[in-house]
């Protein structure tokens, strides 16, 4: 989690649920999937992750999936598709040490080119 969000690599998985599943069952299933994919020892607490969703070909922008109203909205949008699908994005929040501030990137100093003088030229080459 110390990496910038644009440089993180996503790990994916999938599961199928009937559209009549309640929000708390859905959230439990997502947390269980996160534990298996991320190989966590303990499941994350509610404040350690954030859920988002998108619906392919209908909603490009991700929307927070934090309550049953957002869940019902996701189900309604997904059912409008020929193939009802929703992408769930889970962002695990970084630990305190990682959030404290990424270290400054080291500034590498490369060789500066200069015009060779007569003393720099090898006598064999002259």
């Amino acid at each position: 989690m110390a990496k910038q969000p644009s440089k993180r690599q996503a790990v994916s998985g999938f599961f199928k649920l009937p559209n009549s599943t309640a929000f708390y069952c859905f959230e439990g299933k997502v947390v269980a999937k996160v534990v298996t994919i991320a190989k966590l020892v303990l499941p994350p607490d509610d404040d350690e992750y954030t859920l988002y969703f998108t619906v392919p070909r209908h909603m490009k922008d991700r929307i927070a999936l934090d309550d049953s109203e957002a869940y019902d909205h996701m189900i309604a949008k997904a059912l409008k598709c020929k193939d009802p699908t929703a992408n769930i994005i889970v962002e695990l929040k970084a630990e305190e040490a990682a959030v404290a501030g990424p270290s400054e990137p080291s500034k590498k100093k490369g060789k500066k080119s200069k015009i060779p003088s007569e003393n720099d030229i090898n006598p064999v080459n002259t």
Side-chain angles (χ1 to χ4, degrees):
M1 294 302 296
K3 293 182 180 180
Q4 296 175 353
S6 62
K7 297 196 177 189
R8 294 181 195 155
Q9 293 187 1
V11 180
S12 62
F14 73 95
F15 58 90
K16 292 183 179 184
L17 291 174
N19 58 1
S20 61
T21 304
F23 176 68
Y24 67 90
C25 293
F26 165 77
E27 192 172 21
K29 184 78 170 178
V30 169
V31 169
K33 194 67 168 179
V34 167
V35 169
T36 57
I37 289 176
K39 298 176 184 169
L40 300 175
V41 178
L42 297 171
D45 293 332
D46 289 340
D47 59 344
E48 292 179 346
Y49 65 92
T50 308
L51 291 174
Y52 299 99
F53 76 92
T54 62
V55 178
R57 297 179 194 86
H58 284 274
M59 296 175 59
K60 289 192 283 188
D61 297 332
R62 61 187 194 172
I63 296 177
L65 188 57
D66 51 359
D67 58 2
S68 61
E69 290 177 14
Y71 177 71
D72 292 338
H73 180 69
M74 177 189 70
I75 295 293
K77 288 290 187 183
L79 289 176
K80 288 183 179 179
C81 301
K82 182 178 180 182
D83 181 28
T85 303
N87 295 331
I88 309 299
I89 299 125
V90 181
E91 284 186 355
L92 294 173
K93 295 182 181 174
E95 295 178 9
E96 295 289 327
V99 174
S103 61
E104 288 284 326
S106 61
K107 296 180 181 179
K108 296 181 181 180
K109 295 183 179 179
K111 278 188 169 180
K112 295 183 178 179
S113 60
K114 65 176 187 172
I115 301 172
S117 65
E118 290 182 16
N119 297 335
D120 295 336
I121 298 174
N122 193 349
V124 175
N125 290 339
T126 54

